[in-house]
Amino acid sequence: MNPRFEAIYRVNTSKKCIALTFDIGWGGKVPIPVLEALSANKVDKATFFLSSTWVSARPLLARKIKHYGYEIGSHGYRHENYTEHNNRWITSEVKAAEKTIRKATGVTCKLIRTPNGDMNQRVIQLLGSLGYSTIHWSKDSMDWTNPGVRTIIRNSTTGVQNGEILLLHASDSARQTARALPFIIRKLRAQGFTFVTVSELLRMRSK
């Protein structure tokens, strides 16, 4: 099946790899510590889904993510559920986000994570027709709830399978993510996992 017309939760692959993904919707305090934690632990492949309202407010931070070499995907424009809106509204939001992210970073996004992960088949098909692959997740760190560093680590590293997509956040609401990240990275490496971008993961799909 064409990955543009289905939601991707994880990828069926024989390779022992995982995609770390970070949503950013607001704030300027958490992104830098997250980037520094990735860099300090020699993770050069991760995917950031950026809200374009955040990109508009903090274009230098958006460019810094690109400078670090990480993949950039769209997290839409306004943080509203797409299933509650018609196709014209969704198209307008996606195109507005696309333009803003491209202006700030030079990146034309091909991956999108819908606000709140909200979607249905209509939304997925529409996004596919606009040239996007809709990326969900198979492993949720729950970091946005700030449940404690140990809980975030446990949620992120227990029962991990090949081709997982791990949901993390780098918005200011996720106050414990940067502290948990080095431990998550070390534990996953100890289990034999390597880190890839979502786009790389999609290319690994078993036929």
Side-chain angles (χ1 to χ4, degrees):
M1 210 176 158
N2 189 327
R4 284 224 316 260
F5 296 100
E6 58 180 313
I8 306 299
Y9 292 80
R10 63 177 287 269
V11 167
N12 183 24
T13 176
S14 60
K15 296 184 179 180
K16 204 167 178 64
C17 58
I18 183 170
L20 303 180
T21 68
F22 299 84
D23 292 359
I24 305 183
W26 70 280
K29 295 179 181 179
V30 170
I32 293 297
V34 165
L35 289 170
E36 290 174 344
L38 289 170
S39 181
N41 287 276
K42 296 180 170 54
V43 176
D44 57 5
K45 294 180 179 180
T47 302
F48 285 78
F49 290 94
L50 308 182
S51 163
S52 70
T53 52
W54 178 82
V55 173
S56 293
R58 302 185 184 274
L60 293 179
L61 275 179
R63 283 195 284 275
K64 188 175 284 288
I65 292 169
K66 185 189 177 187
H67 176 74
Y68 271 83
Y70 299 120
E71 181 172 50
I72 292 175
S74 175
H75 197 35
Y77 187 66
R78 286 168 288 193
H79 207 267
E80 297 182 22
N81 291 340
Y82 283 4
T83 58
E84 297 172 5
H85 293 279
N86 63 32
N87 287 0
R88 180 178 294 181
W89 185 94
I90 296 168
T91 299
S92 175
E93 291 285 299
V94 170
K95 291 295 185 181
E98 184 178 292
K99 182 178 179 180
T100 300
I101 293 170
R102 184 170 56 240
K103 181 179 178 182
T105 67
V107 174
T108 299
C109 297
K110 296 300 180 186
L111 306 176
I112 189 166
R113 175 170 284 156
T114 55
N116 301 312
D118 176 75
M119 60 187 172
N120 57 21
Q121 198 55 42
R122 173 181 66 89
V123 170
I124 295 164
Q125 291 288 320
L126 175 61
L127 295 175
S129 73
L130 295 173
Y132 286 86
S133 295
T134 302
I135 308 301
H136 203 68
W137 57 86
S138 54
K139 204 115 189 97
D140 190 349
S141 68
M142 297 297 292
D143 59 344
W144 62 277
T145 67
N146 298 297
V149 170
R150 289 184 179 180
T151 299
I152 294 170
I153 296 165
R154 184 172 63 249
N155 290 344
S156 303
T157 61
T158 302
V160 182
Q161 301 178 61
N162 295 358
E164 299 264 30
I165 297 174
L166 173 61
L167 173 64
L168 295 150
H169 293 78
S171 293
D172 282 5
S173 52
R175 298 184 301 274
Q176 300 163 341
T177 306
R179 281 187 288 145
L181 202 48
F183 300 97
I184 292 169
I185 292 164
R186 287 200 285 273
K187 280 181 171 285
L188 289 172
R189 279 190 173 136
Q191 294 175 37
F193 287 97
T194 58
F195 302 107
V196 297
T197 65
V198 169
S199 289
E200 287 176 317
L201 200 58
L202 292 177
R203 292 194 291 270
M204 293 177 190
R205 303 180 94 201
S206 301
K207 304 298 181 184

